[in-house]
Amino acid sequence: MEFVVLPNCPAGDRPAADLRAAQRIDHASGRPWIVGTWPEDEITVIEAGPRRMVVLGRTRLDLAATTAALGRMRSLHDVDAIASRLPGLFHLTVSMDGGTRVQGSVSGVRQIFTAVTDGVTVAASGMEPLLRLTGADLDETVLAARLLAPGGAPWPLSLRTVRRGIDPLATGHWLELDADGRSRQTRWWTLPEPSLSLAQGADAVRSALSEAIATRVRPDRTISADLSGGLDSTSLCFLADRAGADLVTYHVMPLDHANEDTAWARKAAAMLPRARHHMLSADRAENVFDVGYTADHTNMAPEGPSTWASGLAHIEDLAKRATAEGSSLHLTGFGGDELFGRMPACAWSLARAHPVSGLRLVNRYRLANRWSSGATLRALADRSTFAQNLTAVAARIGTPPAPLAEPDFGWVFAPRMPAWATPDAVAAVRKLFTTAAARTPGPLDADRARHQALASIVFEGKTVRQVNTVVAGTGIVWDAPFLDDRVLEAALSTEIDQRLASGRFKPLLTSAVRGVVPSDILDRRDKGEFSAEAFRGIERNRARLLELCDDSRLARLGLIDPAAFRSAVLNPGPMAHHLHPIETTVACESWLRTHSRPRPQDPGERR
């Protein structure tokens, strides 16, 4: 699915003609409104006189009630009442009274990008059509920020595209296109206050997840899913099975024998007898750290490089296996850790929301992570604002990573530029941080832990979106029900001390799915660890990785020292975190080699 939304004005005719899309929906005026390609079973068109609403994606709505609501609306702002209730994952756009509203999902799995062409703002569900219209140049500074590790650039820099003049819709906002082709963004969504008890939150999450799965399951559809053995993906498998899905699951066995994922996956599979289960060998070639984007991925990642590029071979192999089983939708547990696990700033938020019980839980975290009492108290005492914290992180991006035993409860995860990044690259990225700190109105939420959870959810949403861009031609879509708006609202509306109840692993999720997921499965209290796969991948692919150091495109741009990068590939270090900057560099270098500068269509091509 890929489409462009045009304003209700004569100037919108030209980009519609330039794109020559296969499908088109018009404004009531007869001018082009939505052009692109989409599955007919994932679009709902609603009309109330000259007013029109289109929902693209997976949701469930009452057509009669929605039509009546559309007819009663006084302005585009009134669409909030519908957008805030719909389950599932979708884009929504409305045309009324000469104006146009368009939005995606909060997580960004469904995102909206904008560009100005011929003086008119055009919106799109992906970047490729906007690149065709504009030929946007590479933003080398944003590309340099993709070298940051671990986790990449923090929000809001994580939203930035690597193409100048193509911008994403801000988190929780909708875009208005007026009758003159001008645009503005309006924030419509904020997290509800965290007021629910554990029992109330579990009820809300159970309802939201059940509705999310119901929007995806159909009698004629085979659904595939990860069955990693972890609580997140396993819970989705049981929910899909209960909803009547024709389910196919995949488990990749880990290399590390201490990793208990396979044992838990086998136990869950035995309790899902109607599903078809596949166990993939730990020695499978596609399991390992690969060389990122190859010639097979030419121009397939228009948003820019992603840290998961080293897993492309695994994703593509899994897509091939799942489609051979008849699946067109693949469920993953993305977002589960962010909603139901502990963010670094949870300790800070707990200590302020519940000083007595919160500090007891903080002390448990301190002992488990071997933090010193002094370092923990200093982190808890921090009162910096979001902008101050972002500025402080900017100052440290060129320094060695902080010791693992040093807690950081700030607003922003603190990534570093690789040791082989040039001083100019570090300085340019630092300026991106300080500029964002000065211009960003504030965090995603007033609470640090909830801001971190949302920022991480947006990162996960971007990951799913970019995976789907790469697998677009395979006939399958990667999906993540935990990233639905209603699901994340339910989870993060639960009070933090309830969401992180002492002595339990993911208590909100386990309470929500109890009765659907067998109790034996919910007894798991840990997660698997996969650094062995990354180290084996480095070893197996070292020769190919070293080829990326030869005539490095990043070095040509003045962003890295290729000799220093070569040394890191030859001797990456003994710890998993030593591999993170290698992953980001491989992603950026391989992306540059496989993604050419776009060229806008010339007038001859337009005719």
Side-chain angles (χ1 to χ4, degrees):
M1 178 186 295
E2 187 170 73
F3 59 88
V4 169
V5 177
L6 302 166
N8 191 3
C9 64
D13 295 347
R14 182 167 181 175
D18 289 350
L19 291 168
R20 294 178 287 188
Q23 293 164 283
R24 168 174 162 170
I25 298 173
D26 289 342
H27 294 281
S29 64
R31 296 190 180 103
W33 175 24
I34 309 170
V35 297
T37 57
W38 50 79
E40 290 297 335
D41 63 348
E42 290 194 14
I43 184 167
T44 303
V45 181
I46 299 164
E47 298 185 10
R51 297 176 173 184
R52 299 185 179 183
M53 173 184 292
V54 171
V55 182
L56 295 117
R58 291 175 292 278
T59 188
R60 298 203 300 186
L61 54 77
D62 183 318
L63 283 175
T66 306
T67 302
L70 180 61
R72 291 192 301 267
M73 289 180 186
R74 293 169 296 177
S75 74
L76 291 170
H77 293 271
D78 294 340
V79 178
D80 291 3
I82 294 175
S84 62
R85 292 197 303 268
L86 291 180
L89 199 61
F90 53 86
H91 288 95
L92 184 152
T93 181
V94 173
S95 173
M96 61 179 283
D97 305 333
T100 302
R101 169 172 172 160
V102 60
Q103 65 193 70
S105 60
V106 173
S107 67
V109 174
R110 300 293 182 117
Q111 179 60 290
I112 291 295
F113 298 91
T114 66
V116 176
T117 176
D118 296 328
V120 174
T121 300
V122 176
S125 61
M127 285 185 53
E128 197 276 333
L130 299 181
L131 286 172
R132 281 193 279 143
L133 289 172
T134 66
D137 290 330
L138 178 68
D139 189 324
E140 295 170 6
T141 303
V142 176
L143 178 66
R146 298 289 177 96
L147 294 169
L148 286 160
W155 185 93
L157 295 175
S158 59
L159 298 176
R160 295 278 298 271
T161 77
V162 298
R163 298 293 182 182
R164 292 190 178 93
I166 300 181
D167 300 308
L169 191 59
T171 305
H173 286 62
W174 59 270
L175 179 75
E176 178 180 3
L177 303 174
D178 68 18
D180 294 317
R182 296 170 301 197
S183 67
R184 67 172 180 174
Q185 296 189 23
T186 299
R187 185 166 188 175
W188 75 278
W189 183 91
T190 55
L191 263 178
E193 287 299 309
S195 59
L196 303 181
S197 67
L198 178 59
Q200 292 169 329
D203 286 343
V205 169
R206 184 184 305 111
S207 175
L209 275 176
S210 297
E211 189 75 15
I213 294 296
T215 66
R216 292 157 166 90
V217 172
R218 294 198 316 242
D220 60 339
R221 167 182 280 169
T222 296
I223 290 179
S224 54
D226 293 338
L227 183 56
S228 69
L231 280 176
D232 304 328
S233 65
T234 302
S235 296
L236 294 178
C237 288
F238 278 96
L239 285 163
D241 182 71
R242 187 184 68 164
D246 177 29
L247 183 65
V248 184
T249 75
Y250 292 89
H251 172 78
V252 179
M253 291 182 280
L255 286 171
D256 187 350
H257 296 298
N259 186 329
E260 297 184 348
D261 274 3
T262 296
W264 287 98
R266 290 188 189 280
K267 180 182 290 189
M271 298 175 180
L272 291 166
R274 291 185 300 179
R276 305 188 295 282
H277 304 288
H278 299 277
M279 295 280 174
L280 306 183
S281 169
D283 290 325
R284 169 172 159 263
E286 295 84 2
N287 288 0
V288 300
F289 184 113
D290 213 334
V291 291
Y293 303 95
T294 68
D296 292 337
H297 308 117
T298 299
N299 295 328
M300 290 176 64
E303 286 189 49
S306 178
T307 52
W308 54 263
S310 62
L312 271 172
H314 161 69
I315 291 168
E316 291 174 325
D317 178 66
L318 198 57
K320 184 184 298 184
R321 292 172 184 268
T323 53
E325 290 277 357
S327 176
S328 59
L329 190 72
H330 186 81
L331 301 183
T332 73
F334 282 103
D337 288 337
E338 290 74 15
L339 294 182
F340 307 111
R342 178 174 60 86
M343 293 286 104
C346 283
W348 192 93
S349 297
L350 271 169
R352 277 157 176 75
H354 304 278
V356 177
S357 60
L359 283 173
R360 280 200 295 265
L361 194 54
V362 169
N363 193 50
R364 288 173 60 95
Y365 297 158
R366 182 187 71 81
L367 294 172
N369 290 280
R370 299 181 181 180
W371 300 331
S372 71
S373 298
T376 305
L377 289 173
R378 285 192 297 274
L380 288 172
D382 174 60
R383 293 183 177 275
S384 60
T385 65
F386 174 74
Q388 289 168 341
N389 188 215
L390 192 57
T391 301
V393 169
R396 301 197 298 269
I397 63 169
T399 64
L404 294 178
E406 184 177 305
D408 183 353
F409 303 153
W411 293 91
V412 175
F413 300 126
R416 300 297 201 270
M417 291 291 281
W420 46 89
T422 63
D424 285 347
V426 173
V429 173
R430 183 175 289 122
K431 186 175 181 181
L432 275 183
F433 275 66
T434 55
T435 300
R439 294 180 180 176
T440 304
L444 290 167
D445 191 83
D447 176 77
R448 286 192 188 187
R450 299 209 314 166
H451 165 79
Q452 281 191 350
L454 273 178
S456 298
I457 284 289
V458 170
F459 177 84
E460 295 289 274
K462 178 180 179 180
T463 298
V464 175
R465 183 177 74 242
Q466 290 182 320
V467 167
N468 280 325
T469 302
V470 172
V471 301
T474 65
I476 195 167
V477 173
W478 249 240
D479 202 358
F482 289 128
L483 300 182
D484 286 10
D485 292 0
R486 306 291 84 82
V487 176
L488 66 92
E489 286 171 351
L492 295 179
S493 293
T494 306
E495 292 186 86
I496 189 168
D497 65 320
Q498 302 288 293
R499 192 156 51 90
L500 303 173
S502 179
R504 295 177 58 185
F505 184 65
K506 295 189 175 180
L508 180 58
L509 178 60
T510 56
S511 297
V513 299
R514 192 170 295 279
V516 178
V517 180
S519 296
D520 285 354
I521 301 297
L522 298 180
D523 288 340
R524 187 170 188 185
R525 300 171 60 86
D526 61 2
K527 284 178 61 66
E529 199 272 339
F530 295 92
S531 59
E533 282 76 5
F535 279 107
R536 175 179 282 191
I538 290 278
E539 181 181 351
R540 285 186 175 180
N541 291 304
R542 184 169 280 120
R544 297 169 67 198
L545 294 172
L546 289 172
E547 290 175 3
L548 297 179
C549 303
D550 298 331
D551 191 24
S552 165
R553 307 311 193 263
L554 288 169
R556 286 188 199 174
L557 295 176
L559 300 180
I560 69 165
D561 174 352
F565 177 50
R566 176 184 289 274
S567 296
V569 172
L570 289 170
N571 184 21
M575 304 295 288
H577 66 269
H578 293 138
L579 302 183
H580 296 153
I582 296 177
E583 288 183 321
T584 59
T585 306
V586 168
C588 291
E589 179 66 37
S590 62
W591 184 87
L592 277 173
R593 292 172 181 240
T594 53
H595 289 74
S596 60
R597 179 177 176 177
R599 180 175 61 88
Q601 293 173 312
D602 62 31
E605 290 175 313
R606 288 170 177 160
R607 287 193 293 271

